[in-house]
């Protein structure tokens, strides 16, 4: 199943030749590559490496705001300058607004890793789009996300949120125009450009959703503990030389 228009899988965590092949096979025109704890310059380099005339790989940053216990994820597209993880949500939103980046809220209210209703209301004027479907969501997660979008009047998006290669292209949105680089996609989100949301159906989709949900347990337990506690300072920590001390006033660690 594909759709007319310019199809974008808005949130992908993995990138290699297999991901590119699968995205093309699923009818995607672009994917947003936004891995955790990876510097913007490295994301851009990888995105450029895997882009071609058939598929645009657009760099994005899913920012890990706040502390481990009170973390909130924010997806930014169209950044001009790098923004670290582990700073306050307020400082993150201010910086994204200063840079005029598109601000997307992945998996709202999902577990303890994203913005809740009150936080979405607080930053409604800054947020450009709210995710209302991804394969990790359970049905009540999708319903709750749609309710928040209706309450706030914020536009919506769907994505595969793919941590596994096989999930790429399971959910996407389709614009009525080409948005084949970070600036164009950011402008489309900021302007509330017309879009339609899609996801695949059937047993294969159910099976892939189950695989992604199973992967979630590892990703949010040992995987992050290993990165945060055992591997030293993250390259996206505000103490890293790349940030030149600009975020010392708002870092949480």
């Amino acid at each position: 199943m594909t759709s007319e228009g310019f199809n974008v899988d808005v949130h992908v965590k993995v990138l290699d030749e297999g991901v590119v092949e699968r995205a093309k096979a699923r009818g995607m025109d672009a994917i947003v590559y936004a891995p955790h704890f990876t510097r913007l310059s490295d994301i851009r380099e990888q995105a450029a490496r895997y882009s071609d005339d058939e598929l645009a790989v657009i760099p994005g940053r899913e920012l890990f705001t706040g502390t481990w216990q009170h973390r909130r994820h924010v997806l930014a597209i169209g950044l001009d300058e790098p923004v670290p993880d582990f700073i306050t949500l307020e400082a993150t939103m201010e910086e994204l607004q200063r840079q005029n980046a598109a601000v997307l809220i992945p998996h709202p209210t999902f577990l303890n890793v994203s913005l809740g209703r009150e936080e979405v209301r607080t930053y409604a004027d800054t947020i450009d789009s709210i995710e209302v479907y991804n394969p990790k969501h359970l049905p009540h997660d999708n319903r709750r996300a749609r309710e928040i979008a209706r309450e706030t009047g914020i536009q919506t998006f769907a994505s595969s949120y793919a941590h596994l290669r096989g999930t790429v292209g399971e959910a996407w949105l389709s614009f009525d125009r080409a948005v084949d680089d970070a600036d164009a996609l950011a402008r489309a989100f900021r302007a509330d450009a017309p879009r339609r949301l899609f996801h695949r159906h059937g047993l294969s989709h159910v099976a892939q959703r189950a695989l992604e949900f199973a992967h979630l347990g590892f990703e949010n337990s040992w995987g992050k503990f290993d990165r945060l506690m055992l591997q030293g300072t993250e390259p996206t920590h505000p103490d890293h030389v790349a940030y030149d001390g600009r975020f010392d006033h708002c870092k949480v660690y």
Side-chain angles (χ1 to χ4, degrees):
M1 180 181 67
T2 58
S3 54
E4 295 180 358
F6 193 90
N7 300 323
V8 186
D9 187 338
V10 183
H11 197 175
V12 171
K13 293 293 186 194
V14 287
L15 183 60
D16 57 24
E17 292 291 351
V19 167
V20 170
E21 290 175 8
R22 186 170 185 85
K24 292 177 181 178
R26 288 292 172 89
M28 298 300 105
D29 298 296
I31 61 175
V32 176
Y33 177 52
H36 277 305
F37 308 120
T38 306
R39 289 179 55 199
L40 182 61
S41 58
D42 294 333
I43 296 172
R44 285 172 171 164
E45 180 180 336
Q46 288 292 96
R49 175 185 174 188
Y50 286 100
S51 290
D52 59 30
D53 292 340
E54 296 179 67
L55 182 76
V57 181
I58 296 172
R61 273 278 282 134
E62 188 180 19
L63 298 159
F64 187 115
T65 78
T67 64
W68 171 253
Q69 293 82 6
H70 301 286
R71 59 199 186 276
R72 298 291 181 265
H73 293 179
V74 178
L75 179 59
I77 299 171
L79 288 170
D80 295 320
E81 303 169 21
V83 180
D85 298 311
F86 310 114
I87 63 175
T88 65
L89 175 61
E90 180 182 12
T92 298
M93 291 300 203
E94 288 176 355
E95 181 64 15
L96 299 185
Q97 196 167 33
R98 183 187 73 81
Q99 294 194 36
N100 204 27
V103 179
L104 281 62
I105 302 305
H107 44 74
T109 74
F110 184 62
L111 302 177
N112 64 339
V113 296
S114 194
L115 275 67
R117 286 178 186 268
E118 289 306 316
E119 290 161 321
V120 172
R121 292 191 185 107
T122 297
Y123 295 104
D125 291 341
T126 302
I127 296 167
D128 296 297
S129 199
I130 296 174
E131 185 176 57
V132 295
Y133 185 92
N134 80 52
K136 277 189 170 73
H137 276 180
L138 297 174
H140 70 270
D141 297 313
N142 294 321
R143 287 194 299 271
R144 190 164 53 207
R146 290 194 297 268
E147 288 172 3
I148 294 171
R150 283 195 299 268
E151 290 169 3
T152 58
I154 298 172
Q155 269 281 17
T156 60
F157 74 98
S159 83
S160 71
Y161 193 38
H163 290 62
L164 303 173
R165 183 187 296 122
T167 314
V168 174
E170 289 289 321
W172 70 97
L173 58 77
S174 182
F175 285 106
D176 63 352
R177 67 190 75 173
V179 285
D180 52 4
D181 62 33
D183 289 339
L185 182 56
R187 286 195 300 270
F189 276 116
R190 292 197 304 267
D192 288 343
R195 82 285 306 260
R196 293 182 295 162
L197 278 57
F198 297 90
H199 66 82
R200 297 180 67 82
H201 298 273
L203 291 178
S204 64
H205 183 62
V206 172
Q208 197 61 41
R209 289 180 59 202
L211 288 172
E212 278 284 350
F213 202 84
H215 182 266
L216 181 68
F218 168 81
E219 181 69 14
N220 284 290
S221 55
W222 171 251
K224 282 197 172 69
F225 179 82
D226 178 50
R227 287 197 299 268
L228 293 175
M229 303 302 179
L230 303 183
Q231 296 188 18
T233 302
E234 289 288 343
T236 55
H237 191 281
D239 284 346
H240 193 282
V241 65
Y243 304 105
D244 197 28
R246 291 197 304 118
F247 298 93
D248 286 352
H249 67 288
C250 56
K251 65 183 181 181
V252 297
Y253 290 121

